Amino acid sequence: MTIKGQTTLPRDVRAALGLKSGDKVRYVVMNGEVRLLKARPVAELEGVLARPQAEPVGLNAMDEAIAAGAAGAPRRTR
């Protein structure tokens, strides 16, 4: 570690994460361990939660679900 707190990532680590010059990384500290993740642009996350078998949910249904959750009421199903 340098005096500025910088380290060099070994080639194998860069290759495993698909990192190249200019990429950004995230450090996640959990239970005394540090995990290094390649940061991904938000645009790359489009569709990550998609469920092709599910019908789209309208704004009214979302509002009802939020209100029901806030009130502690069970959610209605179709």
Side-chain angles (χ1 to χ4, degrees), residues 57-76:
V57 178
L59 291 177
N60 288 338
M62 285 185 213
D63 287 340
E64 288 176 11
I66 292 167
R75 292 184 0 198
R76 291 188 344 196

Side-chain angles (χ1 to χ4, degrees), residues 38-46:
K38 181 178 182 178
R40 295 170 47 184
V42 173
E44 199 175 294
L45 300 176
E46 180 181 353

Side-chain angles (χ1 to χ4, degrees), residues 2-19:
T2 69
I3 196 151
K4 292 183 177 183
Q6 298 172 335
T7 60
T8 300
L9 295 178
R11 181 182 350 197
D12 291 344
V13 172
R14 293 191 313 264
L17 294 176
L19 294 172

